């Protein structure tokens, strides 16, 4: 081996007095910030607040005293109530054999059941409405009692009398044991189903002007408003 071979040769294009350049390293990715426990709690609280707000909005929509498609906005408004045939149950109200017998009066017909919780909740409010319009000769509240399940007329009479006594009222009531009137309402209003309580407001010509299915607290205010509207016609 020659002396030249034993002497280390410099790398091409390099300076033997300058150390070789170190290639630059790729930048490290930024380190993810770790949330503090307090920040996590704050974010959870915000999410819970948003969820509660959404739930409240849904609750308001469902529990609105004036639900869409009920009362004066029900699709049945404007249809003629064709059949009415009611027999007295308590008190001494006159037998009603047709809608024509009610012509010239604004009539609120309430179908309810003695064993229906929403009906029992609504009943005192209807009594207040009756008292509010007691001096209006052209207004009449017709109360039609039943049971949620079929019962004999004798049982219906006993249960209805007991309920009226508890309410401290002598409101005359009718029965619809044949379900003729409820089926007539389903047909006249074009209902897909029927539930209690059901309250229908008829104008002086027997035309449906409002229909409420079920009961929501505060809806009696809407009933009062619609009764006044019809009495003014």
């Amino acid at each position: 081996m020659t002396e030249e071979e034993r002497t280390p040769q410099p790398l091409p294009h390099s300076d033997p007095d300058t150390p070789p350049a170190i290639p630059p390293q790729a930048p490290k990715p930024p380190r993810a910030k770790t949330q503090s426990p307090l920040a996590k709690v704050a974010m959870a609280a915000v999410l819970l607040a948003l969820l509660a707000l959404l739930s409240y909005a849904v609750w308001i929509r469902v529990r609105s005293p004036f639900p869409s498609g009920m009362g004066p906005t029900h699709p049945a408004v404007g249809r003629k109530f064709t059949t009415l045939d009611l027999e007295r149950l308590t008190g001494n109200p006159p037998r009603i054999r047709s809608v024509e017998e009610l012509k010239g009066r604004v009539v609120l017909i309430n179908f309810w059941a003695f064993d229906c919780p929403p009906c029992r909740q609504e009943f005192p409010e209807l009594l207040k409405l009756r008292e509010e319009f007691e001096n209006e000769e052209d207004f009449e509240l017709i109360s039609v009692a039943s049971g949620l399940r079929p019962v004999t007329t004798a049982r219906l009479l006993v249960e209805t009398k007991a309920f009226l006594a508890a309410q401290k009222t002598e409101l005359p009531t009718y029965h619809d044991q044949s379900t003729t009137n409820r089926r007539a309402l389903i047909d006249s209003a074009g209902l897909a189903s029927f539930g209690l309580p059901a309250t229908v407001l008829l104008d002086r010509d027997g035309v449906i002007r409002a229909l409420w299915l079920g009961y929501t607290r505060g809806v009696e205010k809407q009933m009062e408003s619609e009764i006044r509207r019809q009495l003014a016609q």
Side-chain angles (χ1 to χ4, degrees), residues 33-130:
K33 294 182 179 180
T34 304
Q35 287 185 330
S36 67
L38 184 59
K40 290 182 179 180
V41 171
M43 181 170 288
V46 170
L47 290 175
L48 286 175
L50 289 174
L51 181 60
L53 184 62
L54 178 61
S55 301
Y56 180 73
V58 172
W59 184 85
I60 286 293
R61 182 177 178 84
V62 172
R63 300 295 299 174
S64 170
F66 310 109
S68 176
M70 284 294 175
T73 62
H74 194 283
V77 170
R79 297 188 180 191
K80 180 84 171 179
F81 193 13
T82 56
T83 304
L84 198 61
D85 186 9
L86 294 169
E87 295 186 31
R88 69 175 65 95
L89 181 65
T90 64
N92 192 33
R95 170 75 186 273
I96 299 175
R97 299 181 183 276
S98 72
V99 177
E100 293 301 315
E101 293 180 16
L102 303 174
K103 192 174 179 63
R105 283 177 282 173
V106 174
V107 181
L108 189 69
I109 306 175
N110 176 242
F111 295 88
W112 62 283
F114 63 83
D115 51 351
C116 159
C119 302
R120 298 171 73 95
Q121 185 180 10
E122 178 186 53
F123 197 88
E125 304 304 328
L126 294 177
L127 293 180
K128 293 176 185 176
L129 276 180
R130 180 173 179 251

Side-chain angles (χ1 to χ4, degrees), residues 44-225:
V46 170
L47 290 175
L48 286 175
L50 289 174
L51 181 60
L53 184 62
L54 178 61
S55 301
Y56 180 73
V58 172
W59 184 85
I60 286 293
R61 182 177 178 84
V62 172
R63 300 295 299 174
S64 170
F66 310 109
S68 176
M70 284 294 175
T73 62
H74 194 283
V77 170
R79 297 188 180 191
K80 180 84 171 179
F81 193 13
T82 56
T83 304
L84 198 61
D85 186 9
L86 294 169
E87 295 186 31
R88 69 175 65 95
L89 181 65
T90 64
N92 192 33
R95 170 75 186 273
I96 299 175
R97 299 181 183 276
S98 72
V99 177
E100 293 301 315
E101 293 180 16
L102 303 174
K103 192 174 179 63
R105 283 177 282 173
V106 174
V107 181
L108 189 69
I109 306 175
N110 176 242
F111 295 88
W112 62 283
F114 63 83
D115 51 351
C116 159
C119 302
R120 298 171 73 95
Q121 185 180 10
E122 178 186 53
F123 197 88
E125 304 304 328
L126 294 177
L127 293 180
K128 293 176 185 176
L129 276 180
R130 180 173 179 251
E131 184 178 353
E132 180 70 23
F133 293 102
E134 63 180 351
N135 294 324
E136 292 284 351
E137 295 181 359
D138 291 346
F139 172 74
E140 184 172 357
L141 170 64
I142 296 178
S143 179
V144 185
S146 66
L148 287 178
R149 297 179 179 83
V151 294
T152 64
T153 305
R155 164 83 187 283
L156 178 60
L157 178 61
V158 170
E159 296 288 354
T160 303
K161 281 186 172 180
F163 178 71
L164 295 177
Q167 295 292 322
K168 299 179 181 179
T169 180
E170 296 180 355
L171 174 71
T173 63
Y174 292 86
H175 72 78
D176 183 32
Q177 289 291 77
S178 65
T179 71
T180 298
N181 301 278
R182 279 168 283 181
R183 284 187 281 109
L185 179 57
I186 291 173
D187 293 340
S188 297
L191 302 178
S193 60
F194 187 87
L196 296 174
T199 308
V200 58
L201 178 65
L202 305 181
D203 68 12
R204 299 176 190 274
D205 294 316
V207 175
I208 297 173
R209 291 304 171 193
L211 176 60
W212 297 271
L213 300 176
Y215 173 68
T216 303
R217 182 173 297 174
V219 77
E220 58 275 1
K221 292 182 176 21
Q222 190 182 54
M223 292 181 180
E224 179 182 351
S225 176

